[in-house]
Amino acid sequence: MDVTDDRALVITDAGPLIHLDELDCLDLLATFRRILVPEAVWREVECHRPQALLRADIKLERIGVDNPDPRVDTLARTFVLHTGEREALGLIEQFPDALFLTDDSAARLAAMALSVRVHGSIGMILRSLRLGQRSRKEVVQLLRDLPLRSTLFIKPSLLAEIISEIESPL
Amino acid sequence: MTTVQTDLPDQLAQQAQALVRNGWAPDLNALVAEALRRYLESHTDALAENFIREDVKWGLHGRD
């Protein structure tokens, strides 16, 4: 991946910041040239997981959002999004090639309606294997730790399937 | 019908009660049921699973 590319920019919701920090792997975001954290998301993380914002090795950019696209406002109301999610999607107009990180299904649906590239914490963890940030063994351990160390909920049978796929690649 | 007892933050309860008072919902029970129905529509098990599977594919085989 060319990290100087404009697409190497991420706008993040609170979930991935919190979940990745709970797993002590917020550093996985370091492959992005810029990590944008909308004001409302920043406040949410500050409330629930303040230490995630204090990592010296990860430069998070706190960014305000003015007058979001009316389409975003409509989608936010339709999908009953939180302010942080609405602000994150509002930034997309300014950074149309950015990746949006969220672990919320409704926010993801809204993002898809806006043709935004969107992924979540699980994707970031598996991406670390592809990019060589973590070994296969470390990724498997992270996935195993997920129900114990993080507040990200995932169906146990699906998690077991993913772990099996990582342990036994075709 | 199932009866569920839950604690709501004061501000949330006040907003819900105001909607009922202003005639936008018949009563608090109906409003809570409608809010829950809307949440469940966008947070189905199948949807969450699909998103995770997309993430797995992207994580392992994506180009960015």
Side-chain angles (χ1 to χ4, degrees):
Chain A
M1 187 182 73
D2 178 5
V3 293
T4 62
D5 190 279
D6 275 351
R7 288 168 62 87
L9 188 151
V10 68
I11 296 168
T12 182
D13 192 7
L17 285 176
I18 292 170
H19 300 143
L20 292 175
D21 190 59
E22 287 170 337
L23 293 166
D24 196 24
C25 54
L26 207 56
D27 61 291
L28 300 186
L29 295 175
T31 55
F32 294 101
R33 189 170 52 86
R34 293 177 70 188
I35 307 162
L36 305 181
V37 183
E39 178 63 33
V41 169
W42 188 282
R43 288 198 305 269
E44 193 178 336
V45 177
E46 209 166 36
C47 179
H48 298 289
R49 185 84 182 173
Q51 60 267 49
L53 303 170
L54 303 173
R55 292 276 301 258
D57 54 335
I58 305 294
K59 191 185 171 204
L60 304 173
E61 293 183 47
R62 186 176 185 166
I63 184 165
V65 185
D66 302 320
N67 304 319
D69 184 334
R71 289 179 307 157
V72 170
D73 200 43
T74 301
L75 283 167
R77 288 175 187 278
T78 304
F79 289 106
V80 199
L81 302 186
H82 293 162
T83 311
E85 294 155 354
R86 188 169 69 235
E87 286 192 3
L89 288 172
L91 277 178
I92 293 296
E93 190 178 23
Q94 199 176 334
F95 304 99
D97 290 328
L99 173 69
F100 175 41
L101 280 184
T102 184
D103 288 323
D104 182 82
S105 293
R108 196 154 168 157
L109 279 175
M112 289 164 68
L114 292 166
S115 301
V116 170
R117 292 189 303 137
V118 56
H119 291 290
S121 297
I122 296 282
M124 285 300 299
I125 290 168
L126 298 188
R127 178 178 179 265
S128 73
L129 175 61
R130 170 163 55 88
L131 297 187
Q133 293 172 288
R134 294 288 190 279
S135 69
R136 189 172 301 277
K137 190 176 168 188
E138 287 170 328
V139 167
V140 167
Q141 193 57 54
L142 277 173
L143 293 172
R144 288 211 169 108
D145 286 350
L146 216 143
L148 307 170
R149 288 173 50 198
S150 92
T151 49
L152 177 63
F153 294 100
I154 177 169
K155 191 163 70 175
S157 60
L158 178 58
L159 184 59
E161 190 185 316
I162 296 168
I163 290 172
S164 172
E165 185 177 342
I166 304 301
E167 283 181 321
S168 314
L170 292 175
Chain B
M1 296 288 268
T2 300
T3 301
V4 177
Q5 187 173 345
T6 185
D7 293 323
L8 294 177
D10 290 340
Q11 191 184 357
L12 196 61
Q14 284 160 13
Q15 284 178 295
Q17 283 158 351
L19 273 181
V20 172
R21 204 168 41 246
N22 293 333
W24 296 108
D27 54 44
L28 201 54
N29 287 335
L31 188 147
V32 170
E34 175 66 5
L36 184 59
R37 187 184 65 75
R38 285 176 182 244
Y39 180 88
L40 292 175
E41 275 177 2
S42 59
H43 292 80
T44 65
D45 190 43
L47 195 62
E49 185 164 333
N50 275 344
F51 287 154
I52 297 285
R53 288 187 188 283
E54 280 177 17
D55 267 9
V56 171
K57 194 174 168 188
W58 172 72
L60 295 177
H61 309 294
R63 296 172 59 87
D64 55 352

